[in-house]
Amino acid sequence: MKRTVGIIGVTGYSGQELLKILLSHPMVSIEYLGARSVKNRPRPMGEVLPQFRGAASLSIHPLNAEDAARRCEILFLCLPHGVAMGIVPRIIKKRKELRVIDLSGDFRLRSAGSYEQAYRIRHRSPALLKGAAYGLPEWRREAIRSARIVANPGCYATAALLGAVPLAKAGLLKGQGLIVDAKSGVTGAGRSLKEELLFTEVNEDLRAYRVNAHQHMPEMEQELRRVSGRSIRLTFVPHLVPLNRGIYATIYAPLARRLTEARLRAIYERRYGGEPFIRILPAGTWPEVKSVAGTNFCDIGLRLDPKGNQAIILVAIDNLGKGAAGQAVQNMNLMCGIPEAAGLLACHPRGSEDRFSLSRE
Ligand SMILES: NC(=O)c1ccc[n+]([C@@H]2O[C@H](COP(=O)([O-])OP(=O)(O)OC[C@H]3O[C@@H](n4cnc5c(N)ncnc54)[C@H](OP(=O)(O)O)[C@@H]3O)[C@@H](O)[C@H]2O)c1
């Protein structure tokens, strides 16, 4: 039986990417699309979003969360932080079967105090924070399966955590000195108008921003603490690069014990060997943004620096794929008991369907 799904905020970059994936997902029926900029009456999808002209006879509705909750079992919220936390308590009360996947930062942190520090606004539904599952399937599969609210991770956090958590879990990360140097394409900042994101400002430029003060740092630290059982401090420097999409994180991880490169590789291969969307690259091969663009894959390259006794972990994802919409669909599949890779293999390289059998889960 097909699952009924809806997207609130379908006009944004992550909402559009989600719509693209859901339109070809074999096990869902799209029952609601809503957007703030659609006023008064529903409008044909292809009129509001021309890339979907002729794709399906769906309409985009003026935003009405209660209507969305009535029609759907699963709702994706693709809204700026601060908006979802005003909507979620109302709609989950309205319909007890409803489950929510929130792409914003509103339900990622377990404490309202950490949220307020990171986002500089008061949390309006703190009672829901502890019950929300952090939606990183490779590390939180069981919690995601049964959660009513899944907080899809931030795009930078997805790359940093997929790269660093295997070492944290193995007790190999030192408590301090972890550095995440990451670059993002411009869709990572969303679609709203900002002068510093104009083509002429971004093109031919490379710049750091929010140095060691980015709002994704607390969720990285929270999840590292969760898997390792202790506090791991990190330095995080995000950069904007003139690409439409893609995240590239280079992680420098001082090690608590001496390792060989073969042992380092074995840790990652063993942990991620059965994962449908993580590819550990062969020795001497480094990830490229182009190889993951438009997919839900995360590519990881590894190098040991024996003199400094540190691991260098290179991670590439698509910020709109594994960093947002692709991961959200992976979470939905888990929540619904659908094979985890369903709907996510269409744009994958030929042959991957055999490797990542849909009957895995
Ligand atoms: N972009 C990424 O790579 C990425 C990755 C991971 C997570 N995220 C998170 O996902 C969420 C959406 O990101 P995005 O990049 O898709 O943003 P976006 O392109 O800026 O789109 C935002 C969407 O939210 C709607 N919206 C804006 N303000 C609203 C309000 N006050 N009330 C109701 N609707 C409102 C917009 O509606 P209209 O356009 O119709 O006005 C649009 O549909 C954000 O929380 C972001 O942090 C984004």
Side-chain angles (χ1 to χ4, degrees), residues 53 80 86 134 141 146 160 163 168 188 197 201 210 218 240 315 342:
R53 268 190 207 123
Y134 189 76
R141 210 164 252 125
S146 57
L197 298 179
E201 302 296 323
R210 294 187 211 159
L240 189 69
V315 184

Side-chain angles (χ1 to χ4, degrees), residues 232-263:
I232 293 174
R233 287 194 47 77
L234 68 98
T235 300
F236 174 48
V237 185
H239 301 77
L240 189 69
V241 291
L243 296 172
N244 282 350
R245 46 203 290 171
I247 291 219
Y248 201 102
T250 306
I251 302 168
Y252 303 88
L255 297 169
R257 295 197 298 276
R258 290 229 156 252
L259 281 187
T260 60
E261 189 161 306
R263 173 84 185 108

Side-chain angles (χ1 to χ4, degrees), residues 208-279:
Y209 64 103
R210 294 187 211 159
V211 174
N212 222 30
H214 192 277
Q215 67 275 16
H216 290 178
M217 279 179 79
E219 64 182 271
M220 294 179 201
E221 287 176 336
Q222 169 183 282
E223 296 307 303
L224 286 169
R225 195 179 321 115
R226 195 199 308 258
V227 292
S228 66
R230 66 201 178 95
S231 159
I232 293 174
R233 287 194 47 77
L234 68 98
T235 300
F236 174 48
V237 185
H239 301 77
L240 189 69
V241 291
L243 296 172
N244 282 350
R245 46 203 290 171
I247 291 219
Y248 201 102
T250 306
I251 302 168
Y252 303 88
L255 297 169
R257 295 197 298 276
R258 290 229 156 252
L259 281 187
T260 60
E261 189 161 306
R263 173 84 185 108
L264 173 70
R265 179 165 294 284
I267 290 168
Y268 281 75
E269 283 174 349
R270 191 169 318 134
R271 181 56 187 80
Y272 287 142
E275 289 295 342
F277 297 111
I278 312 274
R279 302 186 293 203

Side-chain angles (χ1 to χ4, degrees), residues 8-16 34-39 48 60 63 77-83 87 102-106 108 119 152-156 158 184-194 215-216 247 318-325:
I8 297 184
V10 69
T11 43
Y13 287 145
S14 58
Q16 291 184 48
R36 174 184 67 164
S37 52
V38 170
K39 308 280 185 202
V48 182
I60 302 183
L63 208 158
L77 303 189
C78 301
L79 303 167
H81 69 268
V83 182
I87 294 177
D102 177 31
L103 276 76
S104 83
D106 282 1
R108 291 179 198 152
Y119 291 91
N152 227 53
C155 46
Y156 279 126
T158 297
S184 172
V186 188
T187 52
R191 205 179 168 209
S192 64
L193 201 58
K194 297 176 196 96
Q215 67 275 16
H216 290 178
I247 291 219
D318 183 333
N319 55 296
L320 294 175
K322 184 66 176 159

